[in-house]
């Protein structure tokens, strides 16, 4: 993809030889293969909603590792592309269907077994993140990674994208909780990696290789997840700022002093979009809002909240609010989680997740505002601010070619800016098809060549999610 051109997903050029769908159907349980065009439509796009998404030959709804293995053996033999799919909430076009391929859905693989003794859970990939959290909570345990989409994304998709979320500033991202997995390789061979062991130095760190591989190296059919004791009660601070700079100063002051359990940012567009929907009394005049939480033990949470209040006031906050009430804290967290759907009500979004080292966050946020102004487009910024991970939301009008061209230009310039600031084009959503043209600029030719060698070694026929990442 030309970096100046609009994001596009590019053609996929696998030779489709001797495709024999009845042979595939015969290898799978009855009803596993869908070919009804109306049903296929729902599996063509992910949340990035690529208008040029392909039309798959069929959708396979696997119920077991055997189903996944049979599908891949067949696809490998016939050189048919396979796009693994969890819940389709991805924002990078990673699960976008390709013409003539198979969408391999894990939505029916939903088993979970929790072991309170080792504090681990063995889960199939189709369970939603929220369902995992609820199942382990019954044992007094906690699975921390919490993407804003936790009610609608699968745990397999989380592992495949190395998903982050709101509490990651203190508790890390998905890879920090994946102790092991079963993954089916491109030729249909299932392999087991890692297991319920907190320490394991045997061999290469292959488990980590598959986390974040976005369905390009194998299909994850089971995960062994590390769990923590239930999260302690949290104190919550909400602060409004008249300028972006004051807000980013407060973020640095907080992260330089302590490790909050959450430190989230919304700009004025997001504040107003959320307020339009939720009527929470957010300060519509504020340029930025921070929602910060502490889950330090006992009375230390309130103490940390006081330190965060002082940091916000010192940075010039116009309004600061502190609550020990968990329900009130959850309401502000829910407001932040709702920011993407709320801004999406203004218009369709091009959504990014660029990240930078924390000291450059101010440069990134003000630089994005400059890019928006220069290209005359509306860009709202929300952020997992404590991680330096922003979500610029570029509102555009697909019916207006000029507006769309300017939005796509801004999309590229924001990634260029992140790279120039020593950052990343994607902090948590993955490269998918949307951002792959910028990957070489971030990682350089040697890393790109290494990535291609790994891909060729594991998927020599190139059937797994062709067009994603590379
Ligand atoms: C409103 C909203 C808020 C969001 N907030 C966050 C956030 O805070 N943090 C965050 O990280 N993400 C966020 N996301 C993005 C998205 O929810 C995550 O990327 C999530 O991990 C995707 O999971 P999924 O099951 O929907 O995967 P899908 O979209 O189905 O797939 C994502 C990628 O994973 C691959 N894949 C899926 N399952 C498997 C498998 N079993 N084996 C191999 N590959 C597989 C697919 O091929 C694709 O490349 C948000 C999305 C929305 C819509």
């Amino acid at each position: 993809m030309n970096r100046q051109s609009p994001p596009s997903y590019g053609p996929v050029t696998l030779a489709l030889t001797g495709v024999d769908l009845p042979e595939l159907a015969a290898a799978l349980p009855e009803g596993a293969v869908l070919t009804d065009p109306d049903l296929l439509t729902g599996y063509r796009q992910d949340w990035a909603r690529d208008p040029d998404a392909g039309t798959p030959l069929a959708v396979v709804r696997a119920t077991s590792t055997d189903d996944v293995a049979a599908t891949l053996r067949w696809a490998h033999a016939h050189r048919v592309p396979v796009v693994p799919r969890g819940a389709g909430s991805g924002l990078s076009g990673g699960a976008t269907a390709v013409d003539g391929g198979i969408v391999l859905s894990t939505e029916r693989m939903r088993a979970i077994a929790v072991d309170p003794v080792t504090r681990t859970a063995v889960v199939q990939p189709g369970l939603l993140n929220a369902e995992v959290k609820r199942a382990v909570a019954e044992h007094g345990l906690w699975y921390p990674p919490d993407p804003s989409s936790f009610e609608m994304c699968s745990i397999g998709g989380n592992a495949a994208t190395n998903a982050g979320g709101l509490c990651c500033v203190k508790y890390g991202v998905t890879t920090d909780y994946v102790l092991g997995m079963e993954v089916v390789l491109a030729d249909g061979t299932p392999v087991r990696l890692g297991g319920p062991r907190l320490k394991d130095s045997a061999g290469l760190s292959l488990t980590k290789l598959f986390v974040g591989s976005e369905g390009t190296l194998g299909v994850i059919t089971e995960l062994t997840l590390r769990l923590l004791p239930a999260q302690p009660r949290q104190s919550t601070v909400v602060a409004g700022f008249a300028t972006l700079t004051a807000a980013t100063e407060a973020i640095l002051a907080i992260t330089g002093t302590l490790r909050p359990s959450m430190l989230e940012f919304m700009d004025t567009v997001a504040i107003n979009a959320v307020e339009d929907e939720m009527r929470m009394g957010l300060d519509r005049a504020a340029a930025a809002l921070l929602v910060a939480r502490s889950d330090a033990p006992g009375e230390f949470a309130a103490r940390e909240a006081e330190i965060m209040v002082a940091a916000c006031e010192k940075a010039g906050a116009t309004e600061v609010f502190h609550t020990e009430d968990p329900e009130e804290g959850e309401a502000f967290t829910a407001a932040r989680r709702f920011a993407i759907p709320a801004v999406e009500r203004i218009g369709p979004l091009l959504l990014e997740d660029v990240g930078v080292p924390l000291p450059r966050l101010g440069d990134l946020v003000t630089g994005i505002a400059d890019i928006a102004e220069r290209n005359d487009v509306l860009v709202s910024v929300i952020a997992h601010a404590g991680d330096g991970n922003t979500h610029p939301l570029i509102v555009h009008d697909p019916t207006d070619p000029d507006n769309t061209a300017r939005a796509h230009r801004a999309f590229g310039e924001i990634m260029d800016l992140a790279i120039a600031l020593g950052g990343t084009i994607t902090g948590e959503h993955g490269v998918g098809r949307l951002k792959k043209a910028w990957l070489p600029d971030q990682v350089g030719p040697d890393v790109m060549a290494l990535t291609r060698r790994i891909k060729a070694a594991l998927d020599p026929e190139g059937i797994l999610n062709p067009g994603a990442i590379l």
Side-chain angles (χ1 to χ4, degrees):
M1 177 170 66
N2 180 330
R3 290 174 60 251
Q4 297 307 317
S5 69
S8 112
Y9 299 78
V12 170
T13 53
L14 274 183
L16 300 179
T17 52
V19 171
D20 182 355
L21 218 43
E23 183 190 323
L24 173 63
L28 294 169
E30 200 174 333
V33 179
L34 303 179
T35 52
D36 177 341
D38 287 344
L39 296 177
L40 296 191
T41 304
Y43 293 86
R44 290 180 61 228
Q45 297 173 314
D46 61 10
W47 208 269
R49 305 201 174 101
D50 172 18
D52 302 321
T55 301
L57 191 63
V59 172
V60 171
R61 290 185 297 172
T63 53
S64 64
T65 301
D66 284 350
D67 292 355
V68 172
T71 305
L72 288 177
R73 270 195 306 274
W74 174 88
H76 193 255
H78 296 285
R79 299 194 67 221
V80 176
V82 175
V83 176
R85 183 182 179 96
S89 74
L91 292 164
S92 304
T96 305
V98 300
D99 279 332
I102 299 292
V103 172
L104 180 47
S105 167
T106 61
E107 71 196 292
R108 290 181 157 183
M109 298 180 68
R110 297 178 41 77
I112 180 165
V114 182
D115 180 354
V117 178
T118 57
R119 286 191 181 146
T120 57
V122 176
V123 301
Q124 286 189 317
L127 217 57
L128 301 183
N129 175 300
E131 292 172 324
V132 173
K133 282 182 185 296
R134 284 196 281 270
V136 307
E138 286 175 18
H139 300 266
L141 296 169
W142 178 40
Y143 174 69
D146 59 346
S148 290
S149 52
F150 75 123
E151 296 277 10
M152 61 177 182
C153 59
S154 75
I155 198 75
N158 290 175
T161 55
N162 193 15
L166 280 67
C167 74
C168 299
V169 59
K170 181 166 184 179
Y171 290 99
V173 296
T174 302
T175 192
D176 300 312
Y177 295 88
V178 177
L179 293 175
M181 67 171 67
E182 180 185 59
V183 59
V184 182
L185 303 179
D187 64 1
T189 308
V191 292
R192 285 196 167 272
L193 304 168
R197 301 176 286 272
L198 295 186
K199 296 174 75 182
D200 191 343
S201 295
L204 299 180
S205 292
L206 294 176
T207 311
K208 301 289 176 193
L209 176 64
F210 284 94
V211 176
S213 63
E214 300 187 49
T216 63
L217 301 182
V219 180
I220 299 164
T221 48
E222 188 185 284
L223 290 158
T224 302
L225 301 174
R226 180 179 196 173
L227 307 172
L228 299 186
Q231 186 176 28
R233 191 185 170 99
Q234 301 191 75
S235 296
T236 306
V237 174
V238 182
F241 297 84
T243 64
L244 297 177
T245 309
T248 55
E249 273 172 20
I251 292 162
L252 287 184
I254 291 170
T255 54
T257 314
L258 51 85
R259 284 183 79 184
S261 52
M262 189 178 109
L263 181 48
E264 294 289 315
F265 169 102
M266 292 197 282
D267 74 357
T268 190
V269 176
I271 295 166
N272 280 279
V274 168
E275 187 59 22
D276 284 347
E277 301 294 328
M278 299 183 79
R279 307 281 170 199
M280 298 188 61
L282 302 179
D283 178 7
R284 286 181 178 273
L289 190 83
L290 294 185
V291 184
R293 305 186 86 178
S294 167
D295 66 357
E299 75 275 14
F300 290 108
R303 175 71 194 115
E304 286 198 344
E306 281 164 20
I307 293 170
M308 294 195 280
V309 167
C312 292
E313 285 172 346
K314 191 163 175 219
T318 49
E319 202 178 10
V320 188
F321 170 75
H322 169 194
T323 178
E324 296 297 315
D325 178 351
E327 277 183 25
E328 217 169 9
E330 274 312 307
F332 283 106
T333 306
R336 162 58 190 89
R337 285 189 198 281
F338 188 61
I340 293 176
V343 175
E344 200 166 32
R345 289 181 191 183
I346 304 174
L349 300 179
L350 289 177
L351 202 151
E352 304 198 52
D353 67 321
V354 288
V356 286
L358 266 181
R360 308 311 298 271
L361 184 62
D363 296 333
L364 180 66
V365 173
T366 52
I368 292 169
D370 289 346
I371 290 170
E373 193 178 335
R374 210 170 45 245
N375 288 289
D376 191 19
V377 285
L378 179 62
V379 183
S380 173
V381 178
I382 58 175
H384 305 303
D387 298 326
N389 182 197
T390 66
H391 293 320
L393 313 173
I394 307 171
V395 183
H396 74 298
D397 176 2
T399 65
D400 176 346
D402 180 55
N403 171 276
T404 302
R406 284 183 277 109
H408 286 310
R409 197 162 55 232
F411 182 86
E413 287 179 11
I414 288 171
M415 278 188 283
D416 292 341
L417 173 64
I419 294 169
L421 293 172
T424 175
I425 59 173
T426 170
E428 58 182 15
H429 297 162
V431 174
R433 291 170 173 81
L434 216 56
K435 291 169 243 164
K436 67 177 178 177
W438 284 265
L439 184 60
D441 285 354
Q442 181 182 327
V443 303
D446 292 344
V447 173
M448 289 304 294
L450 175 61
T451 308
R452 279 192 205 94
R453 281 163 62 195
I454 292 169
K455 169 74 175 167
L458 290 178
D459 180 17
E461 300 292 346
I463 60 162
L464 275 173
N465 214 356
I469 303 184
L470 288 168

